[in-house]
Amino acid sequence: MFAELAMPLFDQLYNFAHWLTQNRSDADDLVQETYSKALRGFSSFQPGTNFRAWIYRILRNTFLTSRTGLKAAATVVNLDEAVDELAVADNPESIFMDQSQQQILQEAIGALPLHYREVVLLCDVEEMPYKEIAETLAVPVGTVMSRLARARQQLRQTLAAKLVR
Amino acid sequence: MADLFSAKIATYLDGELNGEEMRAMDTHLRQCSSCSADVAAQLQTKRAIKLAGARYSPSQNLRAKLERQLVQKQPARWQEWFWFPVFAVLLIGLGLYFSQGTRSRNQIYGELADLHVATLASANPVDVISTDRHTVKPWFQGKIPFTFNLPELNNSDFTLIGGRIAYLDQSSGAQLIYQIRKHQISVFIFQNKNLPGKVLSSSGKHLSFSTESWNEDGLSYFVIGDTNAEDIHHLAELLKSAAKP
């Protein structure tokens, strides 16, 4: 039962773990520990509720309590307060027309602070609805929306800066 | 006024506006070229992030290790141990097969979403303009290497707007534009053999568009639009019944 629910999520959980840890061996450890914790705690999972949000939450909490996770999260505390005007600055979207620029975008995502990176990945890569992201991150939907807006704004600014260079 | 809508574009593309807001945005976009351009640009970013974000794949080693970890927790009868390597190899193979299939499918949907958006943004969205299926279908003769049937729409809310030739992976196919209420829907038809991956019957959401796809007689059908899933399904059913001899 657990494997039936958990194994189809393996590839995407791994991708998310790698983006969080930014390193293959830490990502391997994180995924293994997540599956191990999830299996042990599977009796506490309520059938009929959202398994994906549940296991992503375990993965994220496991990461946040790890050494690299603590460090990554610590750099983010003030960012939630640093609200800039959410103006859409010069749209650098046209850059994506060229697939060879994918690397620039990947670097820009990797350079986002943890709480912004995770929300963009869950929304745009995993295509989770806001409600599910809120459940995964244990924050209100309003926080998901504001982090998403800031993350996208920061992504635009980073990309615009790279374009100018 | 435009600022109000402009601020909601990202939420609109995330599919998170309620029905009324969605309709108001649709109406506004038809009148505001600046917001329409923003929608196209942000949609492109969203798609680029999806592609760039699916960056890392687990090693086969890790998968096998995990499979072992999960199996060890089950009651260990010798039969299960005997079959374990076979299952592990099968699972790895199936995993690879499906992950590749999923990527190809996502790639197809991404490209079709682009074609759909580009068509709607075009000053001449269709090459054959007609609400009459008996005019639209023959127009494709000699232009694409296959033929198809179009449904009778008399008793439905859908209107046929017209058609054009669409290209996917260097092969030609048909694109038909239908309208329901104020939403425009694209129907794409391609030959299976020319597509990068096998198209399975499915319905769902891709980049906030509702989609449905299926196979029939060597052809792959894709219905894509920003209307609700029921409308998409209804149009799909009409097309399926028309395709039956």
Side-chain angles (χ1 to χ4, degrees):
Chain A
M1 177 63 179
F2 173 78
E4 281 168 29
L5 290 169
M7 282 320 284
L9 298 172
F10 175 60
D11 286 303
Q12 58 202 81
L13 273 169
Y14 179 83
N15 183 53
F16 188 58
H18 201 146
W19 274 112
L20 293 185
T21 58
Q22 309 220 338
N23 151 345
R24 178 168 283 278
S25 108
D26 286 352
D28 282 11
D29 292 346
L30 177 57
V31 169
Q32 266 187 285
E33 201 177 334
T34 300
Y35 272 79
S36 170
K37 277 187 183 170
L39 182 60
R40 281 202 305 274
F42 190 51
S43 54
S44 73
F45 171 70
Q46 307 264 317
T49 59
N50 190 331
F51 181 81
R52 180 167 70 158
W54 182 74
I55 197 164
Y56 267 82
R57 196 163 59 237
I58 293 175
L59 184 139
R60 182 175 174 272
N61 290 343
T62 307
F63 171 67
L64 287 179
T65 50
S66 72
R67 209 159 47 116
T68 38
L70 283 170
K71 212 166 124 191
T75 60
V76 165
V77 176
N78 294 328
L79 286 165
D80 272 352
E81 294 156 15
V83 187
D84 294 333
E85 192 190 335
L86 295 178
V88 180
D90 308 327
N91 276 342
E93 276 87 0
S94 56
I95 187 178
F96 305 129
M97 291 301 285
D98 184 350
Q99 281 206 337
S100 69
Q101 305 285 355
Q102 198 179 49
Q103 201 187 338
I104 293 181
L105 181 55
Q106 286 172 338
E107 282 167 12
I109 298 171
L112 282 175
L114 173 69
H115 287 194
Y116 293 175
R117 199 186 322 140
E118 61 186 6
V119 80
V120 162
L121 290 167
L122 293 177
C123 182
D124 286 343
V125 181
E126 299 307 330
E127 296 186 340
M128 280 188 187
Y130 291 171
K131 201 169 154 243
E132 191 178 341
I133 301 176
E135 209 179 312
T136 303
L137 305 182
V139 295
V141 169
T143 307
V144 170
M145 292 172 74
S146 57
R147 281 191 191 170
L148 203 49
R150 291 190 193 102
R152 285 169 171 161
Q153 181 199 24
Q154 196 160 328
L155 214 46
R156 278 194 199 97
Q157 284 168 348
T158 312
L159 290 165
K162 285 191 189 252
L163 272 180
V164 169
R165 237 177 261 167
Chain B
M1 186 69 174
D3 284 353
L4 270 179
F5 286 103
S6 170
K8 285 186 182 169
I9 287 177
T11 320
Y12 170 73
L13 290 175
D14 290 339
E16 297 277 353
L17 291 183
N18 64 38
E20 200 178 312
E21 291 173 314
M22 201 68 121
R23 278 189 292 278
M25 179 65 94
D26 286 339
T27 311
H28 174 73
L29 288 176
R30 269 189 285 278
Q31 297 151 359
C32 176
S33 58
S34 153
C35 284
S36 301
D38 255 8
V39 165
Q42 289 192 38
L43 183 65
Q44 206 174 13
T45 313
K46 214 172 145 52
R47 188 184 158 222
I49 292 173
K50 182 162 176 60
L51 290 175
R55 180 182 192 183
Y56 303 109
S57 305
S59 64
Q60 294 199 10
N61 231 347
L62 179 65
R63 186 187 294 271
K65 214 188 271 182
L66 216 58
E67 297 284 355
R68 238 178 355 254
Q69 196 178 319
L70 295 184
V71 169
Q72 273 168 1
K73 306 280 176 182
Q74 309 292 327
R77 294 202 306 259
W78 73 269
Q79 292 99 326
E80 284 167 349
W81 284 106
F82 175 78
W83 285 109
F84 173 71
V86 180
F87 281 131
V89 169
L90 265 177
L91 275 170
I92 292 166
L94 280 173
L96 281 174
Y97 175 78
F98 282 116
S99 69
Q100 275 171 2
T102 308
R103 281 208 179 153
S104 315
R105 274 198 296 284
N106 285 340
Q107 197 185 334
I108 292 175
Y109 283 120
E111 287 182 25
L112 293 178
D114 277 359
L115 283 174
H116 174 66
V117 172
T119 303
L120 299 191
S122 159
N124 304 302
V126 285
D127 292 330
V128 49
I129 306 171
S130 175
T131 55
D132 179 12
R133 64 190 173 124
H134 300 297
T135 305
V136 174
K137 184 186 158 183
W139 180 84
F140 284 98
Q141 273 176 15
K143 296 186 176 75
I144 50 172
F146 57 89
T147 184
F148 52 86
N149 283 330
L150 292 179
E152 183 59 66
L153 298 171
N154 284 348
N155 297 320
S156 76
D157 296 332
F158 295 100
T159 317
L160 178 62
I161 305 291
R164 64 190 286 158
I165 306 289
Y167 293 91
L168 186 67
D169 258 31
Q170 288 96 45
S171 55
S172 56
Q175 179 180 5
L176 302 151
I177 314 288
Y178 286 90
Q179 181 156 338
I180 182 161
R181 295 179 298 277
K182 290 184 170 172
H183 300 276
Q184 299 206 323
I185 302 174
S186 284
V187 175
F188 293 96
I189 310 172
F190 290 98
Q191 282 179 293
N192 289 346
K193 61 176 186 178
N194 296 330
L195 295 178
K198 186 169 164 44
V199 174
L200 302 173
S201 294
S202 72
S203 59
K205 282 256 175 199
H206 291 273
L207 299 170
S208 309
F209 289 110
S210 301
T211 62
E212 186 152 342
S213 61
W214 69 97
N215 281 306
E216 184 99 42
D217 287 338
L219 298 177
S220 293
Y221 291 74
F222 302 89
V223 184
I224 181 164
D226 64 352
T227 180
N228 58 47
E230 289 77 43
D231 287 342
I232 297 288
H233 181 64
H234 187 188
L235 181 57
E237 288 302 314
L238 287 170
L239 286 154
K240 281 180 199 171
S241 57
K244 293 208 173 89

